[in-house]
Amino acid sequence: MDIGSTIRAIRKRKNITIAQICEMTGLSQGFMSQVETNKTSPSISTLENIAHALKVPLAYLLLKKEERMRIVRKDERTITTSGSEHLKVEHLSSTKNVRMMIVEFPPGTMIGDAPHAHEGEEVHVVIKGSIYAEQGEDGAEFGEGDSFSWNACTPHLVRNIGEDTAIVLISIYTENENGQELI
């Protein structure tokens, strides 16, 4: 864990000197220097005092870099295709277990050639167009603004039933951390 570098980066971004943070926390400059260079590991109580002085939540100091906010600008999105229909998939953002994407369905297309199943849970929001979604024996038509969700382990399909391209925002939760393509 690289808590010291995080503390130093926050302190510098907020234009706080080591002397000032020591005054606020009662810690010595030598100790703070060792904390910031990761030469010593402060107790939770000491970290709590440092977090308070920096005006950040203690939990933020404990996050690993990959657990912090990840930013994906619109022009930086990864775009892939999916299935035999080569549906356009824009990958918005993800965490260890959640992925969000926008999928474009040209008229008459669907994900896959037949209902499919995979690990995870999905939430869909129709941004534009008309789609039909089916899971097992349940099926319904959806229009702009409608949403639905399901456990993806039961065979399911999503098909554009409109005359224009349908755009669907999809969020997938899975306990699988290997980034396997599920759509």
Side-chain angles (χ1 to χ4, degrees):
M1 216 175 237
D2 194 10
I3 295 172
S5 297
T6 299
I7 291 169
R8 182 183 329 110
I10 295 168
R11 180 181 60 74
K12 286 185 174 188
R13 189 177 70 245
K14 293 187 174 197
N15 294 316
I16 300 171
T17 65
I18 284 188
Q20 289 170 321
I21 201 162
C22 289
E23 187 177 312
M24 291 185 267
T25 60
L27 300 171
S28 73
Q29 288 189 27
F31 181 76
M32 271 308 298
S33 178
Q34 286 188 334
V35 167
E36 287 190 358
T37 56
N38 293 306
K39 291 182 179 164
T40 189
S41 297
S43 68
I44 293 294
S45 175
T46 300
L47 275 178
E48 193 170 40
N49 289 337
I50 294 169
H52 180 72
L54 294 172
K55 294 182 173 53
V56 297
L58 171 62
Y60 183 78
L61 297 180
L62 301 175
L63 288 175
K64 296 176 186 168
K65 189 172 185 171
E66 63 271 13
E67 295 171 330
R68 293 193 186 136
M69 182 169 66
R70 195 171 142 210
I71 299 170
V72 179
R73 303 285 181 200
K74 183 177 181 178
D75 60 346
E76 297 171 346
R77 293 177 186 164
T78 301
I79 298 175
T80 60
T81 58
S82 178
S84 61
E85 303 280 356
H86 301 290
L87 303 176
K88 178 182 173 185
V89 180
E90 284 189 62
H91 301 269
L92 303 178
S93 196
S94 62
T95 65
K96 181 173 69 172
N97 300 100
V98 179
R99 293 185 308 125
M100 286 189 68
M101 63 205 74
I102 294 174
V103 180
E104 290 185 14
F105 294 81
T109 60
M110 68 182 211
I111 294 177
D113 297 326
H116 65 284
H118 55 81
E119 175 191 3
E121 298 173 346
E122 298 181 359
V123 177
H124 300 71
V125 180
V126 180
I127 304 299
K128 176 184 168 194
S130 301
I131 64 162
Y132 172 79
E134 180 180 288
Q135 181 194 37
E137 297 299 312
D138 298 326
E141 293 182 11
F142 298 91
E144 292 179 21
D146 292 340
S147 61
F148 59 96
S149 58
W150 54 38
N151 187 318
C153 70
T154 301
H156 56 277
L157 66 83
V158 177
R159 179 176 56 239
N160 181 347
I161 57 172
E163 295 180 15
D164 297 316
T165 297
I167 298 175
V168 181
L169 174 67
I170 302 174
S171 181
I172 301 175
Y173 169 82
T174 177
E175 292 183 17
N176 180 355
E177 296 179 32
N178 67 11
Q180 174 187 358
E181 192 63 32
L182 301 175
I183 194 166

